[in-house]
C-alpha cells in the first residue's frame, strides 16, 4: 500500500500536463457521470442466483465539485438502475481543500437517504471519513461524524461486521471491513501503532453458515489477504488513479493491478473509479461512475 505522502508526490508530478489538459480534466470531474456494468460469475456464487448490486464510492461531498444537487442526481440515477441492493464504499467527506464550501455530514447523509433498494442501502467508511474527523483523530477513539450522520439517516454502517440477507429465499452474507487507513500518522496527533481499524478475521468469523459472501472494503489492498471463502470484494479509494491513460495510472495508491476494474484473485474483486476527487479536483480518462455489478449467470473471461 502506498503511503499518502507517496500518493501526493505522484499526483504532484502530473502538473506537466499543462493548463489546457487541467481545464479538460476538471470539467470531466464535474459534468460527466456514467454507469459501468460488470457481469461477474465467481465460482463461490451460485450461477442460478442473480443479484444486482449498485455501488457508490468516493463522493467527497463539497461545493462546487460534489454539491447536494449533484448528489441528488446520483441518487436518482442509482435508484433508476433498479438494483436489488445498494452499497456505499466510503469517503463521503471532501478529500481536498480546493472548495468553496464543506458540506456538513448531516446534509450529504440526508441526500443519500433517498437511495432505495429492496434489500436496502448499506455503507462502510473510508479513510477521509476518519482523517477529517479531528476529534476522533486526536482522542484515538470514538464514532466519526460520518458514521453518526449515516446512521441518523437510516443507513447502517458496517465496521468489521457481517449481516445475513435473503433474496427470494436464497441467503448471502454482506460483510463490511473497517478502514485500513483510519489513523493519521502525524506528529500533531497522538502516535499510532497501526494505521487501520480493519479486522478481516473477526469480520469473516461473523459468517456462520456456508452462504456466499460479499465483502465491502474501502481500500482494495486487503484483496491480497482475502480467502477464497469470499465470492466478491467491492472496493473504491483509488478513483481509478483519478488519471488513467491507456489502462495505466500514474498515481496508483493500491498498486496498478488493484487500481480499477474487475480483477480475479482468491476472490473476484471490482474496484470502482468513484465519483468525486481527492487531493485535487481533477480527473482524466476515468470519469465519475456508478457501478452496477450483476452476480450469477455467465461472465466474459478476463485476459
Amino acid at each position: 500500500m502506498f503511503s499518502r505522502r507517496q500518493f501526493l508526490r505522484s499526483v504532484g508530478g502530473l502538473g506537466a500536463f499543462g493548463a489546457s489538459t487541467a481545464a479538460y480534466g476538471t470539467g470531466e470531474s464535474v459534468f460527466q457521470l456514467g454507469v459501468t456494468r460488470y457481469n461477474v460469475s465467481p465460482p463461490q456464487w451460485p450461477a442460478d442466483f442473480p443479484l444486482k448490486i449498485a455501488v457508490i464510492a468516493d463522493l467527497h461531498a463539497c461545493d462546487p465539485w460534489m454539491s447536494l444537487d449533484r448528489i441528488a442526481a446520483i441518487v436518482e440515477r442509482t435508484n433508476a438502475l433498479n438494483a436489488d441492493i445498494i452499497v456505499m464504499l466510503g469517503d463521503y467527506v471532501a478529500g481536498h481543500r480546493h472548495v468553496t464550501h464543506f458540506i456538513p455530514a448531516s446534509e450529504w447523509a440526508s441526500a443519500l437517504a433517498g437511495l432505495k433498494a429492496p434489500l436496502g442501502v448499506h455503507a462502510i467508511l473510508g479513510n477521509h471519513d476518519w482523517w477529517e474527523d479531528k476529534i476522533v483523530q486526536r482522542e484515538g477513539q470514538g464514532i466519526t461524524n460520518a458514521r453518526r450522520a449515516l446512521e441518523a439517516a437510516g443507513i447502517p454502517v458496517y465496521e468489521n461486521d457481517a449481516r445475513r440477507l435473503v433474496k427470494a429465499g436464497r441467503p448471502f452474507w454482506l460483510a463490511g471491513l473497517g478502514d485500513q487507513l483510519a489513523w493519521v500518522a502525524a506528529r500533531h496527533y497522538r502516535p499510532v501503532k497501526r494505521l487501520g481499524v480493519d479486522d478481516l478475521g473477526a469480520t469473516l468469523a461473523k459468517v456462520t453458515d456456508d452462504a456466499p459472501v460479499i465483502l465491502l472494503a474501502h481500500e482494495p489492498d486487503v484483496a491480497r489477504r482475502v480467502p477464497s471463502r469470499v465470492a466478491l470484494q467491492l472496493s473504491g479509494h483509488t478513483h481509478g488513479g483519478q488519471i488513467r491513460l491507456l489502462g495505466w495510472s500514474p498515481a496508483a495508491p493500491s498498486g496498478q493491478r488493484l487500481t480499477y476494474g474487475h480483477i480475479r484473485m482468491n476472490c473476484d474483486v471490482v474496484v470502482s473509479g468513484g465519483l468525486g476527487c481527492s487531493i485535487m479536483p481533477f480527473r482524466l480518462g476515468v470519469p465519475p461512475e456508478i457501478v452496477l455489478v450483476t452476480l450469477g449467470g455467465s461472465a466474459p473471461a478476463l485476459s
Side-chain angles (χ1 to χ4, degrees), residues 150-213:
L150 286 165
E151 291 178 341
I155 299 171
V157 177
Y158 294 61
E159 186 175 301
N160 302 322
D161 205 356
R163 179 178 173 185
R164 191 175 188 266
L165 301 172
V166 179
K167 177 194 173 187
R170 305 289 294 270
F172 68 96
W173 288 87
L174 186 67
L177 192 67
D179 189 70
Q180 300 160 66
L181 292 173
W183 302 116
V184 176
R187 287 177 297 178
H188 55 283
Y189 291 122
R190 59 182 184 85
V192 296
K193 295 181 179 179
R194 188 170 182 269
L195 292 179
V197 295
D198 55 304
D199 191 332
L200 181 62
T203 302
L204 296 181
K206 295 180 180 180
V207 175
T208 57
D209 60 27
D210 61 357
V213 179

Side-chain angles (χ1 to χ4, degrees), residues 34-55:
V35 176
T36 302
R37 292 172 168 82
Y38 296 95
N39 295 317
V40 182
S41 293
Q44 307 93 324
W45 190 271
D48 62 347
F49 181 14
L51 184 75
K52 290 173 62 178
I53 310 165
V55 181

